[in-house]
Amino acid sequence: MILDERPKSRKEDLFDRDEELGLLLKAIRDGKPLILLTGIRRIGKTSVFQVALNEWGGSSVVLDCRKLKENYGRKDLYSLLSGALSRTEKIRDLLSKVQGVSVVGNYVELKWGGERYVSLADLFDHLNERKVIVAIDEAQKLRGPLSSEVKDAIAHAYDYDRNVTFLLTGSEVGLLREFLGVDDEGSPLFGRHYVEVELSRFTREKSEEMLRKGFAEVGAEEGGVGELVDAFDGIPGWLVFAGLRYVQGKPIEEVKDLASKLALNEMRGLSRREREVLKCIGKGRKGWKAMKECVEEMERSTVSTSVLDRALRNLEKMSLVRDYSFLDPVYEEASKR
Ligand code: ADP
């Protein structure tokens, strides 16, 4: 069903995306070591990779890095990994005799410290005994104190573990690239080839078709589809969010307000200056000079070029803006609140 807010995992629930799904499945079947699935928040990355893993049908380990706090430690990472490894019986069996791992019932417990803890690289070597996909959702969240350890282990598996494929998704595309460091000479993953599948927003026609299909599935009238697409563009996550509430009887204005509050909440982690830059972009200020003037007006003092540049670049790396424009109309509305 389209109007279901959870990420889709069955192909019949996924609207369109045949091309991207095909590319992903081909890369998986070809045994590519590193695959990136990129696109802004709510564009459908989790859904597309879950459907791809289901269609592929083999063993996978899925890590949802949204659950990691900013300065996560090894204990946090290993506990996330333990949960992910526990979900598949074949993987539990594979790890049952590995030092530093104990499998109790359906739970895989990884030692994360002391003498006999299992390193990430060793863990990947063990997984390599069968073909396995390690899918890391929102992988840019792995940045932090353990960044090098994680990248070293992925680079090791890239070189030695032919059966292991890493499938990484990221909403904050610049941060994901920065984390991987494929363009950074100092990174263990420097220069490694990877396959990238990018999810773009749907065209107006596709967006309307998706909503009409979703409405029909729940027996709702088609009215409102055009207006919803006007407000939420071709971002499927927002279309599902809004469509669902609309068919439940909420007026569009109320749904827009709710969405914008949600976006505002998601912007809480931004710095004051980043939020000011977003406000200025929301006011339509384009170009460096106009931006600097606007932020200085807000702060009632001069702002150094480097500080402003950093704020702007961070927002770009987080895939919130590009060329002084928002990538998501809901965030744009939220910036005006
Ligand atoms: P992301 O991982 O990019 O943030 P999700 O896969 O979590 O996006 O999708 C966000 C929401 O949009 C979910 O409710 C999901 O069900 C819906 N969705 C995304 N893409 C599609 C699609 N192609 N067909 C149907 N629903 C979709």
Side-chain angles (χ1 to χ4, degrees):
M1 208 168 69
I2 287 187
L3 296 186
D4 178 344
E5 285 192 276
R6 287 166 297 185
K8 309 299 189 278
S9 53
R10 300 180 324 158
K11 189 160 189 305
E12 55 270 35
D13 292 326
L14 190 73
F15 177 77
D16 199 66
R17 299 298 191 205
D18 290 342
E19 192 185 333
E20 294 92 338
L21 206 52
L23 290 170
L24 213 52
L25 275 169
K26 178 170 177 0
I28 290 174
R29 289 181 181 134
D30 288 351
K32 297 289 183 197
L34 183 58
I35 308 168
L36 303 193
L37 180 63
T38 56
I40 59 171
R41 212 167 177 157
R42 298 188 172 83
I43 204 75
K45 299 175 296 298
T46 311
S47 302
V48 168
F49 93 67
Q50 285 194 2
V51 171
L53 291 182
N54 261 343
E55 293 286 297
W56 174 62
S59 302
S60 57
V61 176
V62 180
L63 286 178
D64 181 1
C65 295
R66 289 179 192 88
K67 293 181 183 154
L68 284 178
K69 52 184 194 250
E70 212 166 286
N71 273 322
Y72 71 95
R74 190 177 292 116
K75 189 177 176 192
D76 306 307
L77 179 62
Y78 274 44
S79 133
L80 192 66
L81 257 171
S82 288
L85 293 164
S86 300
R87 270 174 231 127
T88 314
E89 189 184 348
K90 285 175 182 152
I91 292 194
R92 292 197 298 267
D93 291 347
L94 204 64
L95 298 176
S96 60
K97 298 204 169 57
V98 173
Q99 203 176 57
V101 182
S102 49
V103 180
V104 184
N106 285 344
Y107 193 70
V108 174
E109 196 177 334
L110 299 179
K111 279 192 97 173
W112 58 274
E115 267 173 32
R116 293 181 159 196
Y117 89 95
V118 58
S119 72
L120 287 177
D122 282 345
L123 192 64
F124 295 148
D125 288 346
H126 289 294
L127 291 179
N128 188 48
E129 280 175 38
R130 53 183 308 131
K131 189 156 170 57
V132 62
I133 312 283
V134 178
I136 310 184
D137 206 4
E138 299 294 3
Q140 74 280 355
K141 299 254 186 272
L142 287 169
R143 292 170 320 129
L146 290 185
S147 202
S148 303
E149 189 173 322
V150 174
K151 278 189 288 188
D152 280 338
I154 296 179
H156 166 85
Y158 189 112
D159 292 338
Y160 296 104
D161 299 332
R162 294 290 151 120
N163 279 329
V164 179
T165 288
F166 290 92
L167 168 56
L168 272 50
T169 84
S171 300
E172 299 173 313
V173 184
L175 293 182
L176 175 61
R177 283 187 211 293
E178 195 172 84
F179 162 67
L180 286 176
V182 280
D183 303 316
D184 164 11
E185 282 182 45
S187 162
L189 285 163
F190 172 65
R192 303 298 163 105
H193 173 74
Y194 60 92
V195 174
E196 178 165 354
V197 179
E198 190 185 348
L199 294 182
S200 311
R201 68 197 63 211
F202 288 136
T203 59
R204 179 157 194 110
E205 293 72 48
K206 281 256 183 265
S207 307
E208 290 189 358
E209 192 188 328
M210 173 175 157
L211 275 185
R212 275 199 298 271
K213 193 166 172 216
F215 281 23
E217 280 171 351
V218 295
E221 302 274 326
E222 271 187 23
V225 162
E227 233 182 303
L228 285 168
V229 177
D230 285 342
F232 294 96
D233 204 353
I235 302 172
W238 284 132
L239 293 173
V240 169
F241 173 92
L244 184 64
R245 283 159 182 80
Y246 183 75
V247 297
Q248 285 166 348
K250 273 213 183 343
I252 291 190
E253 283 312 313
E254 214 174 290
V255 177
K256 277 163 68 175
D257 187 57
L258 254 173
S260 139
K261 279 188 183 142
L262 192 62
L264 199 63
N265 194 35
E266 289 168 2
M267 287 197 256
R268 258 183 339 184
L270 299 179
S271 71
R272 179 174 55 95
R273 191 151 290 124
E274 285 160 354
R275 264 181 275 162
E276 285 166 359
V277 171
L278 286 185
K279 265 198 185 320
C280 290
I281 295 177
K283 285 180 181 172
R285 306 295 168 91
K286 290 211 186 298
W288 178 255
K289 194 161 166 274
M291 188 55 51
K292 194 157 184 303
E293 272 169 19
C294 176
V295 173
E296 287 182 343
E297 232 168 74
M298 276 183 188
E299 296 200 10
R300 298 209 181 104
S301 74
T302 46
V303 176
S304 85
T305 304
S306 62
V307 163
L308 187 59
D309 186 53
R310 196 174 328 123
L312 197 55
R313 269 192 295 143
N314 280 346
L315 294 169
E316 284 174 353
K317 283 189 219 162
M318 287 184 253
S319 306
L320 291 175
V321 297
R322 190 184 301 144
D323 298 334
Y324 302 99
S325 301
F326 278 88
L327 295 179
D328 179 329
V330 180
Y331 274 70
E332 179 162 8
E333 277 312 306
S335 78
K336 296 176 186 161
R337 290 181 88 106

